[in-house]
Amino acid sequence: MHRESADTVPQGPNQPCPSSTKSHVAARQSLSDHAVGTDPPAGRTGQRQNRGMRTRLGCLSHKSDSYNDFTAILPDKPNRALKRLSTEEATRWADSFDVLLSHKYGLAAFRAFLKTEFSEENLEFWLACEDFKKTRSAAKLAAKAQRIFEEFIDVQAPREVNIDFQTRELTRRNVQEPSLSCFDQAQGKVHSLMEKDSYPRFLRSKIYTDLLSQTQRRLS
C-alpha cells in the first residue's frame, strides 16, 4: 500500500476548499516551480500531486460568495438570526457604511464578504482600533498599541493593511507615546478604503442579495 503525498487533496462530495492565503501562495508556488522546469515526481505520485494542486487552485479561483458564507459566521445560530433580522433592517445597510458597521448582523455579513476577497484584515484593524479606544488602563495602553501596530501597521505585518508611508510613519511615532487617538489617522484611511472600495461591492454581492431574499421569503 502506497502512502498519499502530503500535497494530495482527497476529492469527495464533502471536501471543503482550502481558503487561507498561505494555501493560495503555496499552490501558486507549486505551479511556478513546474512552469520553470522543476522535475515533478514520477509515476502515480506525481499525477496525484498535480491533481491536488489543480483542486486547490480551482477552489481558490472560485470565490465562495453566498448567503451560506454569512450564516457560517453569524454571532447567533442561523435560524435565530433570520428570525431576528427583518428585511427593513437589512435594507438599511445600504443607507450608509456606518449603518452597516453598527448592526451586529450587518457586520457579520460584511466580514463574510471580505473573507471572499481575502481582505478581512481591514475590518479586523478597524475593530481593533474601536476596542483600543475603549481602553481605560494606562498600563495596558502601551502594550495594546504596540500589538496593534505590529499586527496591522508595520511593514510585512502578519495582517498588514493598505495605508500610505506617511500615515504608517505617523502612527509609528504615535505608538511611542500612545494615547487613545494614536491610530485615528490610520483607522480613518482604512475606513475610507472600505467605504469607497469594498462596501459598494458588498451591496452587489450574493451574500447581501441572498440574505435580502431570505428575509423577504420568510415574510411571504
Side-chain angles (χ1 to χ4, degrees):
M1 181 180 294
H2 59 264
R3 295 178 58 189
E4 288 288 335
S5 166
D7 285 340
T8 302
V9 176
Q11 298 189 34
N14 297 320
Q15 176 65 26
C17 294
S19 60
S20 69
T21 305
K22 290 183 179 179
S23 297
H24 195 177
V25 173
R28 290 191 304 177
Q29 184 61 51
S30 298
L31 184 61
S32 176
D33 290 344
H34 182 73
V36 298
T38 301
D39 292 334
R44 294 181 179 177
T45 300
Q47 293 174 357
R48 287 196 303 271
Q49 287 179 325
N50 289 337
R51 280 201 307 271
M53 181 176 67
R54 287 196 298 270
T55 300
R56 292 196 301 273
L57 287 173
C59 291
L60 289 166
S61 63
H62 180 66
K63 293 192 302 182
S64 183
D65 179 15
S66 70
Y67 159 77
N68 289 332
D69 293 303
F70 166 62
T71 59
I73 63 167
L74 276 173
D76 294 328
K77 292 181 179 180
N79 290 338
R80 183 184 302 172
L82 287 176
K83 288 179 181 178
R84 293 180 175 180
L85 179 64
S86 68
T87 302
E88 181 182 1
E89 286 178 305
T91 301
R92 287 188 63 240
W93 298 349
D95 289 348
S96 75
F97 185 47
D98 288 328
V99 168
L100 173 71
L101 293 180
S102 67
H103 195 282
K104 178 170 64 172
Y105 298 146
L107 189 65
F110 188 56
R111 177 185 276 119
F113 170 72
L114 292 180
K115 284 181 179 293
T116 71
E117 297 200 328
F118 305 105
S119 61
E120 66 268 26
E121 70 277 356
N122 292 322
L123 181 60
E124 298 302 334
F125 169 67
W126 185 86
L127 290 171
C129 291
E130 289 296 286
D131 178 70
F132 176 77
K133 287 186 288 190
K134 299 174 184 176
T135 305
R136 293 295 174 260
S137 170
K140 294 180 180 179
L141 198 66
K144 290 180 71 172
Q146 189 63 36
R147 185 165 61 249
I148 292 173
F149 182 84
E150 292 176 355
E151 184 172 2
F152 296 104
I153 302 294
D154 206 3
V155 177
Q156 296 185 342
R159 295 196 283 177
E160 183 180 359
V161 294
N162 185 17
I163 57 175
D164 58 90
F165 174 80
Q166 289 80 6
T167 301
R168 176 180 289 109
E169 292 308 303
L170 172 64
T171 307
R172 187 191 304 276
R173 292 193 298 271
N174 289 345
V175 169
Q176 301 306 310
E177 297 182 6
S179 68
L180 294 179
S181 61
C182 67
F183 292 107
D184 280 3
Q185 183 164 332
Q187 185 186 18
K189 295 274 187 179
V190 170
H191 180 282
S192 179
L193 176 65
M194 291 191 294
E195 184 175 28
K196 294 177 180 178
D197 186 39
S198 303
Y199 175 56
R201 288 201 303 275
F202 165 75
L203 296 178
R204 298 190 298 268
S205 71
K206 279 180 62 60
I207 286 179
Y208 182 53
T209 56
D210 284 1
L211 179 62
L212 280 176
S213 297
Q214 288 289 329
T215 61
Q216 292 166 351
R217 189 176 299 125
R218 188 189 68 222
L219 299 175
S220 60

